[in-house]
PDB file of all heavy atoms in Angstrom:
ATOM      1  N   MET A   1     155.294 151.224 120.530  1.00  0.00           N
ATOM      2  CA  MET A   1     154.428 152.331 120.229  1.00  0.00           C
ATOM      3  C   MET A   1     155.078 153.250 119.196  1.00  0.00           C
ATOM      4  O   MET A   1     154.389 153.802 118.366  1.00  0.00           O
ATOM      5  CB  MET A   1     154.097 153.087 121.509  1.00  0.00           C
ATOM      6  CG  MET A   1     153.386 154.364 121.271  1.00  0.00           C
ATOM      7  SD  MET A   1     151.724 154.650 121.840  1.00  0.00           S
ATOM      8  CE  MET A   1     151.622 154.057 123.442  1.00  0.00           C
ATOM      9  N   GLU A   2     156.384 153.398 119.272  1.00  0.00           N
ATOM     10  CA  GLU A   2     157.104 154.273 118.339  1.00  0.00           C
ATOM     11  C   GLU A   2     156.932 153.792 116.903  1.00  0.00           C
ATOM     12  O   GLU A   2     156.662 154.587 115.998  1.00  0.00           O
ATOM     13  CB  GLU A   2     158.589 154.343 118.704  1.00  0.00           C
ATOM     14  CG  GLU A   2     159.390 155.270 117.831  1.00  0.00           C
ATOM     15  CD  GLU A   2     159.015 156.732 117.986  1.00  0.00           C
ATOM     16  OE1 GLU A   2     158.381 157.111 118.984  1.00  0.00           O
ATOM     17  OE2 GLU A   2     159.365 157.515 117.092  1.00  0.00           O
ATOM     18  N   ALA A   3     157.089 152.487 116.690  1.00  0.00           N
ATOM     19  CA  ALA A   3     156.968 151.942 115.330  1.00  0.00           C
ATOM     20  C   ALA A   3     155.569 152.185 114.770  1.00  0.00           C
ATOM     21  O   ALA A   3     155.416 152.556 113.597  1.00  0.00           O
ATOM     22  CB  ALA A   3     157.296 150.456 115.323  1.00  0.00           C
ATOM     23  N   LEU A   4     154.549 152.000 115.582  1.00  0.00           N
ATOM     24  CA  LEU A   4     153.178 152.229 115.135  1.00  0.00           C
ATOM     25  C   LEU A   4     152.936 153.703 114.827  1.00  0.00           C
ATOM     26  O   LEU A   4     152.288 154.046 113.834  1.00  0.00           O
ATOM     27  CB  LEU A   4     152.184 151.747 116.195  1.00  0.00           C
ATOM     28  CG  LEU A   4     150.709 151.911 115.849  1.00  0.00           C
ATOM     29  CD1 LEU A   4     150.366 151.169 114.571  1.00  0.00           C
ATOM     30  CD2 LEU A   4     149.851 151.438 117.000  1.00  0.00           C
ATOM     31  N   THR A   5     153.477 154.585 115.641  1.00  0.00           N
ATOM     32  CA  THR A   5     153.326 156.027 115.417  1.00  0.00           C
ATOM     33  C   THR A   5     153.980 156.434 114.099  1.00  0.00           C
ATOM     34  O   THR A   5     153.370 157.135 113.286  1.00  0.00           O
ATOM     35  CB  THR A   5     153.946 156.820 116.583  1.00  0.00           C
ATOM     36  OG1 THR A   5     153.260 156.479 117.796  1.00  0.00           O
ATOM     37  CG2 THR A   5     153.863 158.312 116.355  1.00  0.00           C
ATOM     38  N   VAL A   6     155.207 156.003 113.885  1.00  0.00           N
ATOM     39  CA  VAL A   6     155.918 156.328 112.648  1.00  0.00           C
ATOM     40  C   VAL A   6     155.166 155.776 111.442  1.00  0.00           C
ATOM     41  O   VAL A   6     154.962 156.471 110.446  1.00  0.00           O
ATOM     42  CB  VAL A   6     157.369 155.790 112.690  1.00  0.00           C
ATOM     43  CG1 VAL A   6     158.046 155.926 111.337  1.00  0.00           C
ATOM     44  CG2 VAL A   6     158.159 156.514 113.764  1.00  0.00           C
ATOM     45  N   TRP A   7     154.722 154.534 111.548  1.00  0.00           N
ATOM     46  CA  TRP A   7     153.977 153.900 110.452  1.00  0.00           C
ATOM     47  C   TRP A   7     152.722 154.705 110.128  1.00  0.00           C
ATOM     48  O   TRP A   7     152.445 154.996 108.958  1.00  0.00           O
ATOM     49  CB  TRP A   7     153.612 152.468 110.828  1.00  0.00           C
ATOM     50  CG  TRP A   7     152.694 151.823 109.842  1.00  0.00           C
ATOM     51  CD1 TRP A   7     153.035 151.202 108.677  1.00  0.00           C
ATOM     52  CD2 TRP A   7     151.266 151.770 109.922  1.00  0.00           C
ATOM     53  NE1 TRP A   7     151.905 150.758 108.027  1.00  0.00           N
ATOM     54  CE2 TRP A   7     150.806 151.097 108.776  1.00  0.00           C
ATOM     55  CE3 TRP A   7     150.343 152.219 110.852  1.00  0.00           C
ATOM     56  CZ2 TRP A   7     149.460 150.865 108.533  1.00  0.00           C
ATOM     57  CZ3 TRP A   7     148.993 151.989 110.611  1.00  0.00           C
ATOM     58  CH2 TRP A   7     148.561 151.313 109.466  1.00  0.00           C
ATOM     59  N   ALA A   8     151.943 155.069 111.151  1.00  0.00           N
ATOM     60  CA  ALA A   8     150.690 155.795 110.924  1.00  0.00           C
ATOM     61  C   ALA A   8     150.946 157.126 110.225  1.00  0.00           C
ATOM     62  O   ALA A   8     150.238 157.489 109.277  1.00  0.00           O
ATOM     63  CB  ALA A   8     149.964 156.020 112.246  1.00  0.00           C
ATOM     64  N   PHE A   9     151.965 157.862 110.679  1.00  0.00           N
ATOM     65  CA  PHE A   9     152.257 159.142 110.041  1.00  0.00           C
ATOM     66  C   PHE A   9     152.730 158.957 108.608  1.00  0.00           C
ATOM     67  O   PHE A   9     152.387 159.750 107.732  1.00  0.00           O
ATOM     68  CB  PHE A   9     153.281 159.934 110.846  1.00  0.00           C
ATOM     69  CG  PHE A   9     152.703 160.624 112.055  1.00  0.00           C
ATOM     70  CD1 PHE A   9     153.277 160.466 113.294  1.00  0.00           C
ATOM     71  CD2 PHE A   9     151.586 161.434 111.942  1.00  0.00           C
ATOM     72  CE1 PHE A   9     152.757 161.107 114.408  1.00  0.00           C
ATOM     73  CE2 PHE A   9     151.054 162.080 113.046  1.00  0.00           C
ATOM     74  CZ  PHE A   9     151.636 161.915 114.281  1.00  0.00           C
ATOM     75  N   GLU A  10     153.513 157.931 108.327  1.00  0.00           N
ATOM     76  CA  GLU A  10     153.990 157.692 106.961  1.00  0.00           C
ATOM     77  C   GLU A  10     152.849 157.269 106.036  1.00  0.00           C
ATOM     78  O   GLU A  10     152.709 157.768 104.929  1.00  0.00           O
ATOM     79  CB  GLU A  10     155.091 156.636 106.960  1.00  0.00           C
ATOM     80  CG  GLU A  10     156.396 157.135 107.542  1.00  0.00           C
ATOM     81  CD  GLU A  10     157.456 156.046 107.668  1.00  0.00           C
ATOM     82  OE1 GLU A  10     157.165 154.868 107.350  1.00  0.00           O
ATOM     83  OE2 GLU A  10     158.576 156.380 108.097  1.00  0.00           O
ATOM     84  N   VAL A  11     152.037 156.346 106.502  1.00  0.00           N
ATOM     85  CA  VAL A  11     150.973 155.793 105.660  1.00  0.00           C
ATOM     86  C   VAL A  11     149.840 156.793 105.432  1.00  0.00           C
ATOM     87  O   VAL A  11     149.292 156.865 104.331  1.00  0.00           O
ATOM     88  CB  VAL A  11     150.431 154.481 106.282  1.00  0.00           C
ATOM     89  CG1 VAL A  11     149.185 154.002 105.564  1.00  0.00           C
ATOM     90  CG2 VAL A  11     151.511 153.406 106.241  1.00  0.00           C
ATOM     91  N   PHE A  12     149.492 157.562 106.446  1.00  0.00           N
ATOM     92  CA  PHE A  12     148.327 158.430 106.342  1.00  0.00           C
ATOM     93  C   PHE A  12     148.658 159.909 106.139  1.00  0.00           C
ATOM     94  O   PHE A  12     147.774 160.757 106.176  1.00  0.00           O
ATOM     95  CB  PHE A  12     147.429 158.240 107.565  1.00  0.00           C
ATOM     96  CG  PHE A  12     146.890 156.843 107.667  1.00  0.00           C
ATOM     97  CD1 PHE A  12     147.406 155.955 108.588  1.00  0.00           C
ATOM     98  CD2 PHE A  12     145.885 156.404 106.815  1.00  0.00           C
ATOM     99  CE1 PHE A  12     146.930 154.662 108.678  1.00  0.00           C
ATOM    100  CE2 PHE A  12     145.399 155.111 106.892  1.00  0.00           C
ATOM    101  CZ  PHE A  12     145.916 154.234 107.825  1.00  0.00           C
ATOM    102  N   ALA A  13     149.910 160.238 105.890  1.00  0.00           N
ATOM    103  CA  ALA A  13     150.297 161.634 105.658  1.00  0.00           C
ATOM    104  C   ALA A  13     149.558 162.220 104.454  1.00  0.00           C
ATOM    105  O   ALA A  13     149.094 163.361 104.500  1.00  0.00           O
ATOM    106  CB  ALA A  13     151.802 161.748 105.464  1.00  0.00           C
ATOM    107  N   ALA A  14     149.438 161.443 103.403  1.00  0.00           N
ATOM    108  CA  ALA A  14     148.755 161.930 102.197  1.00  0.00           C
ATOM    109  C   ALA A  14     147.274 162.209 102.454  1.00  0.00           C
ATOM    110  O   ALA A  14     146.659 163.019 101.753  1.00  0.00           O
ATOM    111  CB  ALA A  14     148.904 160.918 101.062  1.00  0.00           C
TER     112      ALA A  14
END
Side-chain angles (χ1 to χ4, degrees):
M1 171 116 44
E2 183 66 18
L4 181 59
T5 299
V6 171
W7 172 84
F9 282 129
E10 288 174 357
V11 171
F12 297 105

